[in-house]
Amino acid sequence: MTERIEWKPALDHPELMAEAVRAAMTRFDGSARIARIDPESADTAAFCERYGLALDTSANCVVLSAKRGGEVSYAACVVPATRRADVNGVLRRHLGARKVSFAPMEEATGETGMEYGGITPFGLPKEWPLLVDKAVHDTPWVVVGSGLRRSKLRVPGPLLAELPGAEVLSLTK
């Protein structure tokens, strides 16, 4: 049996967002919704199964580590939960890196101030590129992390293009 999820206005529940996410959400019109969830079900597949949502309504935000000339930089990408980011093709070329990989958990959480399994495109460091897959952008509503494992955000897909450093591209295989 699936559990019911109750979406509420995100700005009315700042306690359900990581600090950087709260600050980022204040610049939007209040269209974002948030729901408290069981932190044990924060991973996308478990979340969708437990709360009866289709996997294609969710997106994953992953932190990338790009290396070139001995230097490391970070970027984030947001892709549909049903697809895989083309890390070694599109993303590596777009970032102009010799090598791109998923950042280790400690780096991803340390650089973002967010919990692993709750990383979201809202509140990322402003100097980071934020690459949003076109399919996510074109989705009327998409579920993403809140910066914490105990909640999820539901936002209009086009809203992600308004975030600092955001670019909309085709990022998946």
Side-chain angles (χ1 to χ4, degrees), residues 56-99:
D56 64 2
T57 63
S58 290
N60 293 319
C61 180
V62 294
V63 176
L64 303 171
S65 173
K67 297 173 183 161
R68 88 180 132 249
E71 297 207 10
V72 176
S73 61
Y74 295 97
C77 72
V78 184
V79 296
T82 56
R83 298 188 191 166
R84 297 187 88 122
D86 186 1
V87 174
N88 293 310
V90 173
L91 289 163
R92 184 184 59 75
R93 284 190 301 276
H94 185 78
L95 295 171
R98 181 181 52 77
K99 181 179 179 185

Side-chain angles (χ1 to χ4, degrees), residues 63-64 73-76 107-108 111-112 124-130 164-166:
V63 176
L64 303 171
S73 61
Y74 295 97
E107 287 178 30
E111 294 290 328
T112 63
L124 293 170
K126 291 183 185 354
E127 66 275 8
W128 286 14
L130 172 60

